[in-house]
Amino acid sequence: MAEAAFKKTSADAGAVAAERELTDGFHLVIDALKLNGLDTIYGVPGIPITDFGRMAQASGIRVLSFRHEQNAGYAAAIAGFLTKKPGVCLTVSAPGFLNGLTALAHATTNCFPMILISGSSEREIVDLQQGDYEEMDQLAIAKPLCKAAFRVLHAQDIGIGFARAIRAAVSGRPGGVYLDLPARLFSQVMDAEAGHKSLVKVIDPAPAQIPAPDAVKRALDALRSAKRPLIILGKGAAYAQADDVIKSFVEKSGIPFLPMSMAKGLLPDTHPQCAGAARSTVLRDSDAVMLIGARLNWLLSHGKGKVWGEAPRKFIQVDIEPREMDSNVEIAAPLVGDIGSCVSALLGAMGGSWPTPPADWIKTVTSKREENVAKMAPRLMNNNSPMDYHGALGVLRTIVKERPDAVLVNEGANTLDLARGIIDVYRPRKRIDVGTWGAMGIGMGYAIGAAVETGKPVLAIEGDSAFGFSGMEIETICRYKLPVCVVVFNNDGIYRGTDVNKAGSDPATTVFVKGSRYDKMIEAFGGVGVNATSPDELKRAVNVAMDTGKPTLINAVIDPAAGSESGRIGNLNPQSKLARK
Ligand code: ADP
Ligand code: TPW
Ligand code: MG
């Protein structure tokens, strides 16, 4: 408190130089953050928040300055996912706010808790549209793109404003919250003691939500009677940090489990029950599917259609959001509550003896999995130069196996889809990627957020296109000396580097400058750049980077013809049936 207040000698107190302790908006915002354990801010400075950044830093808050707000926002979003505390992003008004907004919407879509705080212009001028500096009705614009949006006009409301923002971000289904702080708020002065009292320490911001016992029984009945049961773990399960109960539940059930991309590692991908390498079989043939923190959205083909086969099937869904139930298909057994409480209740109600799933189902899944793993193995061992995806990912797979604590960041098309399938993950929350939207551009923001929040080394596996969306943040990585190794899968373009524009001299729309040397970029900022043309060279360079923790960018030269259009989701690409002359 003392550091947040400043003393002012009252001029009109006459001979008695009475001292009254005062505080202001700047300090109250800092105190509100600290009181609630929000000790890191990701942002870009400028009017009206430059001074705020300085004061926050002076007060012991870690303030990380980025080169673009979107990347700061993605860092805050992934901080929310990794810590269960809202990640905080701070931007200036209008253009800064809009740059950060993509990440706020992304956080909301992915169910990550995040607070975007933006400075804003004065209400009077904005509402009369009189053309203020960076004028924009930010609150109105943010509202449809986030879970909740609030504005604080008076210093004495800062405490309540932050309490509301924190609760909205982390309770129930987590999401993004916008907090609008007009420039004038920061310099509003009030009595320090009253200010101190106005702050709110949020008690139990994400209260446990205990499921109803009959819903637990219904869920277990559906699972017990199944002939071909399956458990799907989603990133909500990873977020919940209920790792031990989830593992106990899955192991006690004996049921094959399929991890969604960011749920990989909740149980190791090498676990005997993991059906990751038998994905098509378990989706097509299962007759009861329990979803734990995973939505039946496009990533699971909406729970219907060819992928899911003809067999009748019951869905059991564990989720904190009641309205998620029946969003795509009928949910036979909805289990609403937080995942820790739900899975503990399931485990408790299973009792001493739980029937092992039918042996023929387990055998089908296991043999499919072994067959697919064996088919893949030789492809991962090639030492081709230029590399193909399998050769390059084969060595990265071994490196991740040897360093299970490192955080893997992954984006691109082929670079994403193939890495997801090939690289096993061994610990919870160690794989973070493009998420529900398949958003390119999360790369460097996620890498920075993960390095800062976990203190562990980060390996970012990036398509060359994907990397370009946030590439300038390698300066940020060098500036903060973060242990991040970026591997750019350089195939000269988007999906492939081989497209030709037959109609003119401009390059085709999906290709980049051939033979680019991304490794040289990081050298400009004092980092380590390496050009790797074979799996052996790649392996050596990544191992050095991970051992030294020095900011490193490896340009991994990939055969431009190796990839396929749209990676693995080419089916979503509409094709014109009209021939053009
Ligand atoms: P994935 O992409 O991995 O399939 P989704 O993002 O589609 O995962 O689904 C995550 C789900 O997890 C969301 O429906 C969200 O409501 C839910 N969820 C998030 N946190 C919790 C929690 N602590 N308890 C229960 N459900 C949660
Ligand atoms: C914000 C569309 C999906 S994947 C991709 C783009 C542009 C890049 C694929 O090329 P990359 O990977 O990264 O070189 P590779 O290995 O296949 O060559 N804008 C946003 N998000 C998305 N998803 C796109 C565009 C897209
Ligand atoms: Mg590419």
Side-chain angles (χ1 to χ4, degrees):
M1 182 62 219
E3 67 189 339
F6 57 91
K7 295 198 186 230
K8 191 179 169 193
T9 307
S10 173
D12 52 14
V16 194
E19 278 194 342
R20 193 160 71 92
E21 279 215 67
L22 296 175
T23 188
D24 64 7
F26 284 111
H27 292 91
L28 286 166
V29 170
I30 290 168
D31 290 347
L33 287 165
K34 290 176 80 171
L35 184 63
N36 287 291
L38 303 178
D39 51 13
T40 307
I41 296 175
Y42 302 92
V44 176
I47 295 173
I49 52 148
T50 320
D51 256 2
F52 174 79
R54 289 193 190 106
M55 286 183 220
Q57 196 169 41
S59 81
I61 292 182
R62 189 154 195 212
V63 185
L64 291 115
S65 268
F66 283 65
R67 306 301 294 261
H68 189 291
E69 291 86 351
Q70 187 178 109
N71 307 317
Y74 283 141
I78 208 61
F81 169 75
L82 292 169
T83 65
K84 290 185 95 173
K85 288 194 300 187
V88 178
C89 176
L90 181 66
T91 74
V92 301
S93 25
F97 158 77
L98 285 174
N99 284 346
L101 198 54
T102 306
L104 187 70
H106 170 88
T108 307
T109 297
N110 284 277
C111 314
F112 301 159
M114 165 180 173
I115 301 175
L116 174 68
I117 304 174
S118 276
S120 64
S121 309
E122 300 319 322
R123 292 310 316 157
E124 296 83 347
I125 307 180
V126 174
D127 290 346
L128 278 171
Q129 297 169 35
Q130 293 172 312
D132 202 1
Y133 168 69
E134 295 191 348
E135 173 185 305
M136 176 174 275
D137 191 357
Q138 296 170 188
L139 188 74
I141 289 165
K143 255 184 200 162
L145 296 170
C146 60
K147 189 176 168 192
F150 306 100
R151 172 160 44 229
V152 182
L153 285 173
H154 304 292
Q156 64 266 30
D157 292 332
I158 287 172
I160 291 294
F162 271 86
R164 302 216 71 190
I166 292 166
R167 279 198 190 278
V170 297
S171 62
R173 169 182 279 175
V177 175
Y178 175 59
L179 194 56
D180 193 84
L181 304 183
R184 205 182 290 157
L185 176 78
F186 290 100
S187 46
Q188 274 179 30
V189 171
M190 70 182 285
D191 176 72
E193 199 183 326
H196 181 62
K197 283 194 184 137
S198 72
L199 297 179
V200 178
K201 181 166 169 52
V202 181
I203 308 297
D204 196 12
Q209 297 195 23
I210 313 291
D214 57 339
V216 173
K217 183 172 180 308
R218 194 187 296 120
L220 284 179
D221 288 348
L223 210 56
R224 194 186 286 111
S225 58
K227 298 215 162 34
R228 297 179 305 280
L230 172 68
I231 293 171
I232 297 182
L233 301 170
K235 60 177 163 325
Y239 170 79
Q241 297 193 16
D243 310 337
D244 292 344
V245 277
I246 290 173
K247 182 164 181 286
S248 303
F249 170 70
V250 172
E251 289 183 342
K252 186 165 180 183
S253 76
I255 296 171
F257 72 91
L258 183 68
M260 299 300 286
S261 189
M262 283 176 60
K264 277 162 72 82
L266 214 38
L267 286 87
D269 284 329
T270 47
H271 191 283
Q273 284 167 258
C274 182
R279 188 175 194 272
S280 342
T281 303
V282 290
L283 292 185
R284 190 189 57 226
D285 294 339
S286 53
D287 68 345
V289 176
M290 174 179 267
L291 301 150
I292 306 182
R295 286 170 285 186
L296 275 178
N297 57 16
W298 71 281
L299 288 158
L300 284 169
S301 307
H302 305 281
K304 53 199 170 192
K306 221 162 78 195
V307 169
W308 289 91
E310 303 293 324
R313 173 181 294 105
K314 276 186 184 162
F315 281 105
I316 304 146
Q317 185 159 26
V318 181
D319 205 290
I320 203 157
E321 173 57 67
R323 289 180 304 172
E324 187 55 38
M325 308 299 158
D326 306 324
S327 58
N328 285 269
V329 295
E330 180 187 281
I331 302 298
L335 189 55
V336 175
D338 71 280
I339 284 168
S341 302
C342 288
V343 177
S344 299
L346 287 166
L347 200 52
M350 281 166 109
S353 69
W354 178 263
T356 41
D360 56 341
W361 172 237
I362 301 298
K363 187 156 174 280
T364 306
V365 178
T366 312
S367 46
K368 189 74 206 170
R369 162 193 161 140
E370 282 164 5
E371 182 193 325
N372 285 341
V373 168
K375 230 189 282 173
M376 178 80 86
R379 300 185 67 186
L380 301 178
M381 283 156 57
N382 83 66
N383 199 32
N384 295 344
S385 177
M387 294 182 270
D388 59 24
Y389 287 92
H390 289 83
L393 289 168
V395 298
L396 297 178
R397 176 182 203 260
T398 307
I399 288 169
V400 170
K401 184 176 180 184
E402 291 164 354
R403 302 167 190 275
D405 251 1
V407 183
L408 181 65
V409 175
N410 191 199
E411 59 175 337
N414 294 282
T415 306
L416 175 85
D417 293 334
L418 293 166
R420 183 178 50 227
I422 290 170
I423 298 183
D424 290 328
V425 182
Y426 298 84
R427 308 246 166 102
R429 296 170 293 283
K430 294 297 185 187
R431 183 190 153 86
I432 50 183
D433 65 27
V434 298
T436 305
W437 267 344
M440 296 303 118
I442 50 91
M444 297 306 102
Y446 272 24
I448 294 168
V452 167
E453 300 292 337
T454 69
K456 305 285 185 211
V458 174
L459 176 62
I461 304 180
E462 301 272 313
D464 51 342
S465 164
F467 172 72
F469 287 74
S470 67
M472 194 64 213
E473 301 298 345
I474 55 174
E475 187 278 326
T476 312
I477 291 170
C478 291
R479 185 165 16 109
Y480 290 97
K481 302 186 173 58
L482 297 172
V484 175
C485 173
V486 182
V487 178
V488 175
F489 272 46
N490 186 359
N491 64 344
D492 291 347
I494 300 177
Y495 316 130
R496 294 163 71 88
T498 51
D499 246 9
V500 176
N501 168 21
K502 294 189 188 104
S505 57
D506 274 350
T509 55
T510 55
V511 300
F512 299 143
V513 170
K514 303 229 175 292
S516 299
R517 291 285 302 274
Y518 291 93
D519 51 309
K520 298 207 182 227
M521 289 172 65
I522 200 165
E523 289 174 356
F525 308 113
V528 178
V530 181
N531 189 48
T533 59
S534 71
D536 281 348
E537 284 174 17
L538 177 61
K539 181 170 148 190
R540 219 171 304 132
V542 178
N543 273 323
V544 171
M546 302 300 274
D547 286 341
T548 59
K550 282 193 188 146
T552 301
L553 194 156
I554 300 164
N555 183 59
V557 183
I558 304 284
D559 179 354
S564 62
E565 175 103 359
S566 309
R568 292 263 172 102
I569 52 173
N571 60 314
L572 299 180
N573 218 7
Q575 306 280 325
S576 171
K577 293 185 181 67
L578 304 176
R580 275 208 96 156
K581 299 234 165 73

Short mmCIF file of all heavy atoms in Angstrom, two decimals, residues 433-463:
data_model
loop_
_atom_site.label_atom_id
_atom_site.label_comp_id
_atom_site.label_asym_id
_atom_site.label_seq_id
_atom_site.Cartn_x
_atom_site.Cartn_y
_atom_site.Cartn_z
N ASP A 433 -1.10 -25.07 -29.24
CA ASP A 433 -1.12 -24.86 -30.69
C ASP A 433 -2.27 -23.95 -31.13
O ASP A 433 -2.84 -23.23 -30.31
CB ASP A 433 -1.13 -26.21 -31.42
CG ASP A 433 -2.40 -27.00 -31.16
OD1 ASP A 433 -3.45 -26.40 -30.87
OD2 ASP A 433 -2.35 -28.25 -31.24
N VAL A 434 -2.60 -24.04 -32.40
CA VAL A 434 -3.52 -23.09 -33.04
C VAL A 434 -4.94 -23.11 -32.48
O VAL A 434 -5.71 -22.18 -32.72
CB VAL A 434 -3.58 -23.36 -34.55
CG1 VAL A 434 -2.21 -23.16 -35.17
CG2 VAL A 434 -4.06 -24.80 -34.84
N GLY A 435 -5.31 -24.18 -31.76
CA GLY A 435 -6.59 -24.21 -31.07
C GLY A 435 -7.81 -24.28 -31.97
O GLY A 435 -7.74 -24.68 -33.14
N THR A 436 -8.94 -23.87 -31.38
CA THR A 436 -10.25 -24.07 -31.98
C THR A 436 -10.40 -23.39 -33.34
O THR A 436 -11.13 -23.87 -34.20
CB THR A 436 -11.32 -23.56 -30.98
OG1 THR A 436 -11.12 -24.23 -29.73
CG2 THR A 436 -12.72 -23.83 -31.47
N TRP A 437 -9.76 -22.26 -33.53
CA TRP A 437 -9.88 -21.54 -34.80
C TRP A 437 -8.83 -21.95 -35.83
O TRP A 437 -8.86 -21.48 -36.96
CB TRP A 437 -9.74 -20.04 -34.56
CG TRP A 437 -11.04 -19.34 -34.35
CD1 TRP A 437 -12.29 -19.79 -34.64
CD2 TRP A 437 -11.22 -18.01 -33.81
NE1 TRP A 437 -13.23 -18.84 -34.32
CE2 TRP A 437 -12.60 -17.75 -33.81
CE3 TRP A 437 -10.34 -17.04 -33.34
CZ2 TRP A 437 -13.13 -16.54 -33.34
CZ3 TRP A 437 -10.87 -15.85 -32.87
CH2 TRP A 437 -12.25 -15.60 -32.87
N GLY A 438 -7.85 -22.73 -35.42
CA GLY A 438 -6.73 -22.98 -36.32
C GLY A 438 -6.03 -21.68 -36.68
O GLY A 438 -5.71 -21.43 -37.83
N ALA A 439 -5.79 -20.85 -35.67
CA ALA A 439 -5.28 -19.50 -35.91
C ALA A 439 -3.77 -19.50 -36.15
O ALA A 439 -3.00 -19.92 -35.29
CB ALA A 439 -5.60 -18.61 -34.72
N MET A 440 -3.36 -19.02 -37.31
CA MET A 440 -1.95 -18.77 -37.54
C MET A 440 -1.58 -17.48 -36.82
O MET A 440 -2.36 -16.50 -36.84
CB MET A 440 -1.65 -18.59 -39.03
CG MET A 440 -1.91 -19.80 -39.90
SD MET A 440 -1.00 -21.25 -39.39
CE MET A 440 -2.36 -22.34 -38.98
N GLY A 441 -0.41 -17.45 -36.22
CA GLY A 441 0.04 -16.22 -35.55
C GLY A 441 0.19 -16.37 -34.05
O GLY A 441 0.68 -15.48 -33.38
N ILE A 442 -0.21 -17.53 -33.52
CA ILE A 442 -0.07 -17.72 -32.06
C ILE A 442 1.39 -17.97 -31.66
O ILE A 442 1.73 -17.86 -30.49
CB ILE A 442 -0.96 -18.89 -31.54
CG1 ILE A 442 -0.77 -20.17 -32.36
CG2 ILE A 442 -2.43 -18.50 -31.59
CD1 ILE A 442 0.24 -21.09 -31.89
N GLY A 443 2.22 -18.31 -32.63
CA GLY A 443 3.54 -18.90 -32.35
C GLY A 443 4.42 -18.19 -31.34
O GLY A 443 4.70 -18.71 -30.27
N MET A 444 4.88 -16.98 -31.69
CA MET A 444 5.85 -16.33 -30.81
C MET A 444 5.20 -15.83 -29.52
O MET A 444 5.82 -15.86 -28.45
CB MET A 444 6.57 -15.20 -31.54
CG MET A 444 7.40 -15.67 -32.74
SD MET A 444 8.60 -16.97 -32.35
CE MET A 444 7.76 -18.44 -32.96
N GLY A 445 3.94 -15.41 -29.60
CA GLY A 445 3.23 -15.00 -28.38
C GLY A 445 3.12 -16.17 -27.41
O GLY A 445 3.42 -16.04 -26.21
N TYR A 446 2.72 -17.33 -27.92
CA TYR A 446 2.62 -18.52 -27.08
C TYR A 446 3.99 -18.91 -26.52
O TYR A 446 4.12 -19.29 -25.36
CB TYR A 446 2.05 -19.70 -27.88
CG TYR A 446 0.54 -19.81 -27.90
CD1 TYR A 446 -0.28 -18.71 -27.69
CD2 TYR A 446 -0.08 -21.04 -28.13
CE1 TYR A 446 -1.66 -18.82 -27.73
CE2 TYR A 446 -1.47 -21.17 -28.16
CZ TYR A 446 -2.25 -20.06 -27.96
OH TYR A 446 -3.61 -20.20 -27.99
N ALA A 447 5.01 -18.83 -27.38
CA ALA A 447 6.35 -19.23 -26.94
C ALA A 447 6.81 -18.34 -25.78
O ALA A 447 7.33 -18.82 -24.77
CB ALA A 447 7.33 -19.16 -28.10
N ILE A 448 6.57 -17.05 -25.92
CA ILE A 448 6.99 -16.11 -24.87
C ILE A 448 6.16 -16.34 -23.61
O ILE A 448 6.70 -16.46 -22.50
CB ILE A 448 6.87 -14.66 -25.38
CG1 ILE A 448 7.88 -14.43 -26.51
CG2 ILE A 448 7.07 -13.65 -24.24
CD1 ILE A 448 7.67 -13.13 -27.30
N GLY A 449 4.85 -16.44 -23.78
CA GLY A 449 3.97 -16.68 -22.62
C GLY A 449 4.36 -17.96 -21.89
O GLY A 449 4.45 -17.99 -20.66
N ALA A 450 4.63 -19.02 -22.65
CA ALA A 450 4.97 -20.31 -22.02
C ALA A 450 6.31 -20.24 -21.31
O ALA A 450 6.46 -20.76 -20.20
CB ALA A 450 4.98 -21.42 -23.08
N ALA A 451 7.30 -19.58 -21.93
CA ALA A 451 8.61 -19.48 -21.29
C ALA A 451 8.51 -18.68 -20.00
O ALA A 451 9.07 -19.05 -18.96
CB ALA A 451 9.61 -18.83 -22.25
N VAL A 452 7.76 -17.57 -20.06
CA VAL A 452 7.63 -16.70 -18.88
C VAL A 452 6.86 -17.40 -17.76
O VAL A 452 7.25 -17.36 -16.59
CB VAL A 452 6.96 -15.36 -19.29
CG1 VAL A 452 6.53 -14.57 -18.06
CG2 VAL A 452 7.90 -14.54 -20.17
N GLU A 453 5.76 -18.05 -18.11
CA GLU A 453 4.89 -18.61 -17.07
C GLU A 453 5.42 -19.91 -16.48
O GLU A 453 5.17 -20.21 -15.33
CB GLU A 453 3.47 -18.85 -17.62
CG GLU A 453 2.77 -17.59 -18.12
CD GLU A 453 2.42 -16.59 -17.00
OE1 GLU A 453 2.31 -17.02 -15.82
OE2 GLU A 453 2.24 -15.40 -17.32
N THR A 454 6.12 -20.72 -17.31
CA THR A 454 6.55 -22.03 -16.80
C THR A 454 8.02 -22.05 -16.40
O THR A 454 8.44 -22.94 -15.66
CB THR A 454 6.35 -23.15 -17.85
OG1 THR A 454 7.28 -22.96 -18.93
CG2 THR A 454 4.93 -23.15 -18.41
N GLY A 455 8.82 -21.13 -16.94
CA GLY A 455 10.25 -21.16 -16.68
C GLY A 455 10.96 -22.33 -17.36
O GLY A 455 12.13 -22.58 -17.12
N LYS A 456 10.24 -23.05 -18.21
CA LYS A 456 10.82 -24.21 -18.90
C LYS A 456 11.24 -23.82 -20.32
O LYS A 456 10.71 -22.87 -20.89
CB LYS A 456 9.79 -25.34 -19.01
CG LYS A 456 9.19 -25.76 -17.69
CD LYS A 456 10.15 -26.58 -16.88
CE LYS A 456 9.47 -27.09 -15.61
NZ LYS A 456 10.39 -27.23 -14.50
N PRO A 457 12.14 -24.60 -20.93
CA PRO A 457 12.50 -24.33 -22.32
C PRO A 457 11.30 -24.56 -23.25
O PRO A 457 10.44 -25.39 -22.97
CB PRO A 457 13.61 -25.34 -22.61
CG PRO A 457 13.66 -26.28 -21.47
CD PRO A 457 12.90 -25.71 -20.34
N VAL A 458 11.30 -23.81 -24.34
CA VAL A 458 10.20 -23.89 -25.30
C VAL A 458 10.77 -24.26 -26.66
O VAL A 458 11.79 -23.72 -27.09
CB VAL A 458 9.48 -22.53 -25.39
CG1 VAL A 458 8.43 -22.53 -26.51
CG2 VAL A 458 8.83 -22.17 -24.06
N LEU A 459 10.09 -25.21 -27.32
CA LEU A 459 10.45 -25.57 -28.69
C LEU A 459 9.26 -25.20 -29.57
O LEU A 459 8.17 -25.77 -29.40
CB LEU A 459 10.74 -27.07 -28.77
CG LEU A 459 11.03 -27.64 -30.16
CD1 LEU A 459 12.29 -27.02 -30.76
CD2 LEU A 459 11.18 -29.17 -30.09
N ALA A 460 9.44 -24.23 -30.46
CA ALA A 460 8.34 -23.80 -31.33
C ALA A 460 8.57 -24.36 -32.73
O ALA A 460 9.56 -24.02 -33.37
CB ALA A 460 8.26 -22.28 -31.36
N ILE A 461 7.65 -25.22 -33.17
CA ILE A 461 7.77 -25.81 -34.50
C ILE A 461 6.78 -25.09 -35.41
O ILE A 461 5.56 -25.22 -35.25
CB ILE A 461 7.50 -27.33 -34.44
CG1 ILE A 461 8.47 -27.98 -33.45
CG2 ILE A 461 7.64 -27.94 -35.83
CD1 ILE A 461 8.31 -29.47 -33.30
N GLU A 462 7.34 -24.32 -36.35
CA GLU A 462 6.57 -23.33 -37.09
C GLU A 462 6.63 -23.53 -38.59
O GLU A 462 7.74 -23.63 -39.15
CB GLU A 462 7.17 -21.94 -36.80
CG GLU A 462 7.18 -21.55 -35.34
CD GLU A 462 5.89 -20.87 -34.95
OE1 GLU A 462 5.44 -19.97 -35.67
OE2 GLU A 462 5.33 -21.28 -33.93
N GLY A 463 5.48 -23.54 -39.26
CA GLY A 463 5.51 -23.43 -40.72
C GLY A 463 6.10 -22.06 -41.07
O GLY A 463 6.03 -21.12 -40.27
#
